[in-house]
Amino acid sequence: MVGIHVPFFCNEDWGWWLQTESYGFRVDLCIYPDPDSARDPERYALMPSIQSPRQLSWSRFRWIDRSQNVREIIDALEKIFTTDADIHAVTRDHAHPF
């Protein structure tokens, strides 16, 4: 649908873990209930495993800016969430994750 391969996902005790791949780039995503919400939350947070825009590549022995890759995956997931009729509200902090 949006060009992201999900080779693995699982339900954890804190939420969901998704392993995603897009154009040879991999990022893991944690989807967990908003800690400020009630016991049966309707608000969830999505946190990528990459928290810094630059990653050190040992094979290339240089820093690589991965911010665009992470944003593309987050954008694609936002598109999925906003087009799903069962999801009633989607908000986004555009300053996050970097």
Side-chain angles (χ1 to χ4, degrees):
M1 180 173 155
V2 294
I4 296 175
H5 178 62
V6 180
F8 178 77
F9 66 92
C10 67
N11 185 343
E12 295 280 353
D13 59 344
W14 46 261
W16 288 87
W17 175 35
L18 272 73
Q19 182 183 69
T20 66
E21 294 176 359
S22 179
Y23 303 108
F25 173 72
R26 178 182 157 190
V27 64
D28 296 327
L29 300 168
C30 300
I31 302 172
Y32 58 91
D34 185 329
D36 295 330
S37 53
R39 181 178 170 162
D40 295 316
E42 291 185 12
R43 293 174 38 172
Y44 288 83
L46 188 143
M47 179 70 69
S49 60
I50 296 175
Q51 295 296 303
S52 174
R54 295 181 346 134
Q55 298 282 289
L56 181 60
S57 170
W58 288 105
S59 62
R60 297 180 186 166
F61 199 63
R62 65 183 169 105
W63 289 94
I64 298 173
D65 184 354
R66 292 297 194 183
S67 58
Q68 185 61 32
N69 299 102
V70 173
R71 285 190 181 102
E72 286 175 1
I73 290 172
I74 300 294
D75 289 345
L77 288 171
E78 182 179 28
K79 180 180 178 182
I80 291 169
F81 296 151
T82 56
T83 58
D84 188 322
D86 291 331
I87 299 175
H88 303 287
V90 176
T91 58
R92 182 170 173 182
D93 178 359
H94 289 281
H96 184 74
F98 309 116

